[in-house]
């Protein structure tokens, strides 16, 4: 069993609406990972509803705040929704292996999305004079810089 990605204040972006959703998401993944097989289908459906609602709200907030929404950000959200829908559609009674694999992949996806999509957004938010909460931690900024450097993008 792989280690769960647990919420940490190091993940704070300084955007309360996103920070709250991120914490809930990780807490929900942890809860789902220990559910009995007969309860996971309904919980997965609830997770999908949350993701759809949250992504819509986040994209609307980005549009209001910055005047546009990055198509890559939206496509990353849409890809996750498709993945969760596919896992839910293929869920067979007594066979939750695909769902549990999807939950593990969602943990990894979240960390990647946080550092490659949400941190730059939070930095732009901060640079535009918005300070609803502390800005992204040095850990997140360092992780972003590391990923950009590793991918050959100058910082």
């Amino acid at each position: 069993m792989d280690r769960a990605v647990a919420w940490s204040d190091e993940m704070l972006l300084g955007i309360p609406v996103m920070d709250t959703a991120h914490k809930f998401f990780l807490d929900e993944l942890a809860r789902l990972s220990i559910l009995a097989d007969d309860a996971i289908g309904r919980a997965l459906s609830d997770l999908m509803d949350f993701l759809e609602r949250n992504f819509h709200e986040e994209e609307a907030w980005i549009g209001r705040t910055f005047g546009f929404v990055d198509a890559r950000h939206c496509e990353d959200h849409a890809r996750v929704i498709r993945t969760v829908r596919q896992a839910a559609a293929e869920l067979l009674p007594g066979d939750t292996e695909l769902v549990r694999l999807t939950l593990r992949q969602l943990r990894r996806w979240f960390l990647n999305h946080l550092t490659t999509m949400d941190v730059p957004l939070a930095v732009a938010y901060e640079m535009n004079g918005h300070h609803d909460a502390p800005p992204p931690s040095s850990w997140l900024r360092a992780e972003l810089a590391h990923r950009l450097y590793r991918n050959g993008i100058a910082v």
Side-chain angles (χ1 to χ4, degrees):
M1 182 169 179
D2 76 332
R3 292 183 356 202
V5 174
W7 174 258
S8 161
D9 284 348
E10 288 291 316
M11 296 175 183
L12 286 170
L13 296 172
I15 304 171
V17 66
M18 292 176 74
D19 292 334
T20 301
H22 290 165
K23 181 179 184 327
F24 177 84
F25 176 67
L26 287 178
D27 289 349
E28 194 63 7
L29 287 180
R31 186 181 75 80
L32 266 66
S33 71
I34 60 171
L35 279 180
D37 286 354
D38 62 347
I40 205 161
R42 178 68 192 145
L44 187 65
S45 177
D46 291 344
L47 178 66
M48 190 165 42
D49 290 345
F50 163 76
L51 288 172
E52 288 175 336
R53 217 175 30 257
N54 174 256
F55 291 162
H56 176 74
E57 290 170 3
E58 181 179 311
E59 291 163 10
W61 176 86
I62 294 168
R64 284 190 312 273
T65 303
F66 296 101
F68 70 95
V69 180
D70 179 12
R72 292 174 309 141
H73 201 126
C74 294
E75 177 52 35
D76 203 42
H77 288 168
R79 190 173 26 259
V80 166
I81 294 296
R82 286 192 304 269
T83 300
V84 175
R85 264 198 197 117
Q86 180 180 356
E90 295 183 20
L91 180 63
L92 299 172
D95 183 11
T96 62
E97 186 176 331
L98 177 63
V99 172
R100 295 192 187 281
L101 174 63
T102 299
L103 294 174
R104 287 191 301 273
Q105 290 173 337
L106 284 174
R107 293 178 195 133
R108 289 190 216 56
W109 167 82
F110 171 76
L111 290 177
N112 186 61
H113 184 83
L114 179 70
T115 57
T116 63
M117 306 247 172
D118 290 344
V119 169
L121 182 68
V123 170
Y125 186 66
E126 177 193 2
M127 290 175 70
N128 281 301
H130 301 283
H131 301 284
D132 294 345
S137 72
S138 57
W139 175 81
L140 276 179
R141 288 176 189 241
E143 181 63 20
L144 172 63
H146 173 73
R147 287 173 183 260
L148 292 173
Y149 177 77
R150 189 175 64 220
N151 291 318
I153 301 168
V155 290

